[in-house]
Amino acid sequence: MADLRVNFLGKTLNGPVIGASGTFGYGVEYADMIDCARLGGVCSKGLTLHGKPGNEGERLWETPSGLINSIGLQNPGVRHFIENELPDMQTLGTAIFANLGGGCIEDYEEGVRLLNDTAVDFIELNISCPNVKHGGIAYGVKAESAREVVGRVRAVCRKPLVVKLSPNAESIPDMAAACAEAGADALSLVNTFQAMAIDLEKRRPVFNNVFAGLSGPAIRPIALRMVWQACGAVKIPVIGLGGIATGRDALEFIMAGAHAVQVGTANFSDPTVCMKITDEIAAWMDKNGVKTLDEIRGCARP
Ligand SMILES: Cc1cc2nc3c(=O)[nH]c(=O)nc-3n(C[C@H](O)[C@H](O)[C@H](O)COP(=O)(O)O)c2cc1C
């Protein structure tokens, strides 16, 4: 039988499949349907220092093979998470990733300080957030602005730090290298691609903010290319995501070099999909005589 455990930043993940931020609640919502202890981990909804009500207007729009969302980081805030959601997450028997966003560096720093003294296993820093003090361009677009936020967070962070990259970065290799140099322990990518839709009847953009984030199978080949590039640019571990819906999809990311994968949008059409993906990976490994993922990680690379 294949051994699906993954060694990640000194901890053993129970499997290679992790529930992606914003699509998996706090994991507890899925506990009646799947065995969360077989997951590699659960990423919390994106947290901010102070809670956020989220965006007004349309928030979700389906496209062929994809989903555009404009949730606006609706969340109860870091303190509420620590007191109310985290204790339930601790009962799941899987690793806990606290996904942290922010509109300014000071908020990121304060959020990390609060999370330092909790049972959270990893902090996943979402740098796709707009930098409110600098014209609203996301931290994850320019390598130098990502370097600054990651460096400042690293200085106060006592948890293993995973930096989640935006696919809207000017250059994925430069961005990956800048985050690693600034002190990231690992990377995860990709977040959603900037996209939009127009409502023909209203003759207006669907979303109040005009642009929103595209996820799902439509982005998978591009996400795979970016994960390949990131794995080539840094020596730290990389978690791959973007449109993964089957075991074969996940194996492509692992053969590109990813340590583990996250699954997001696919959970909405099938809440048991993370278990199916896990079983499909195991079945493929058994069929092909592969005992551990270490044997095939990065095997597609020259
Ligand atoms: C409804 C929705 C909400 C999301 N919220 C967050 C979030 O709060 N923080 C974050 O880092 N990523 C968030 N994401 C991005 C996902 O975690 C993931 O990076 C992206 O959707 C690509 O993976 P997928 O194609 O498997 O969904 C969200 C995605 C969706 C669809």
Side-chain angles (χ1 to χ4, degrees):
M1 268 296 275
D3 181 353
L4 290 185
R5 288 172 302 176
V6 174
N7 236 321
F8 182 70
L9 302 180
K11 302 200 182 208
T12 303
L13 306 184
N14 299 342
V17 180
I18 299 164
S21 177
T23 66
F24 214 73
Y26 298 94
V28 284
E29 296 85 344
Y30 284 76
D32 287 347
M33 291 171 280
I34 64 170
D35 178 5
C36 290
R38 292 182 62 214
L39 293 172
V42 171
C43 296
S44 75
K45 171 63 190 164
L47 304 164
T48 49
L49 180 59
H50 306 292
K52 276 172 159 285
N55 290 337
E56 298 278 329
E58 205 70 62
R59 288 178 165 204
L60 291 174
W61 194 260
E62 282 193 56
T63 68
S65 300
L67 178 68
I68 314 181
N69 90 79
S70 178
I71 306 293
L73 279 188
Q74 178 183 349
N75 80 94
V78 175
R79 285 187 185 83
H80 189 281
F81 166 77
I82 293 170
E83 280 163 28
N84 298 280
E85 284 82 19
L86 182 56
D88 290 338
M89 284 183 98
Q90 288 176 251
T91 66
L92 297 176
T94 193
I96 302 170
F97 292 71
N99 181 285
L100 182 69
C104 65
I105 292 183
E106 292 74 18
D107 282 4
Y108 276 110
E109 288 174 323
E110 190 53 26
V112 166
R113 279 195 199 100
L114 293 172
L115 291 167
N116 270 339
D117 297 317
T118 66
V120 160
D121 294 291
F122 305 97
I123 291 179
E124 185 182 59
L125 201 69
N126 173 11
I127 58 169
S128 297
C129 304
N131 181 345
V132 176
K133 288 189 182 160
H134 286 97
I137 298 178
Y139 290 99
V141 172
K142 294 196 177 291
E144 286 323 303
S145 112
R147 187 191 297 276
E148 189 189 358
V149 67
V150 174
R152 293 266 299 270
V153 163
R154 173 77 282 170
V156 295
C157 182
R158 286 188 271 110
K159 298 279 184 189
L161 181 64
V162 182
V163 177
K164 183 169 181 180
L165 303 191
S166 167
N168 306 312
E170 288 175 337
S171 155
I172 289 291
D174 291 353
M175 179 59 73
C179 292
E181 283 160 20
D185 295 308
L187 303 176
S188 58
L189 71 157
V190 295
N191 212 314
T192 53
F193 286 73
Q194 200 172 52
M196 71 175 290
I198 289 178
D199 185 324
L200 295 192
E201 278 57 52
K202 293 183 184 151
R203 304 184 185 193
R204 302 286 308 156
V206 164
F207 299 107
N208 287 3
N209 290 341
V210 183
F211 298 153
L214 177 66
S215 61
I219 69 169
R220 184 167 54 79
I222 318 177
L224 181 64
R225 182 264 289 176
M226 292 177 164
V227 168
W228 175 281
Q229 286 181 304
C231 290
V234 297
K235 296 214 161 30
I236 56 176
V238 170
I239 298 174
L241 74 154
I244 294 173
T246 68
R248 294 185 73 86
D249 296 344
L251 284 161
E252 281 194 67
F253 282 77
I254 290 164
M255 289 188 185
H259 262 68
V261 296
Q262 290 181 10
V263 174
T265 304
N267 292 298
F268 295 148
S269 45
D270 179 359
T272 67
V273 77
C274 286
M275 291 298 97
K276 289 182 183 155
I277 294 171
T278 305
D279 291 339
E280 286 163 14
I281 294 172
W284 186 92
M285 289 170 71
D286 286 342
K287 189 172 164 214
N288 290 276
V290 175
K291 294 204 165 42
T292 70
L293 290 168
D294 291 344
E295 291 175 34
I296 54 166
R297 182 169 300 109
C299 68
R301 308 190 70 85

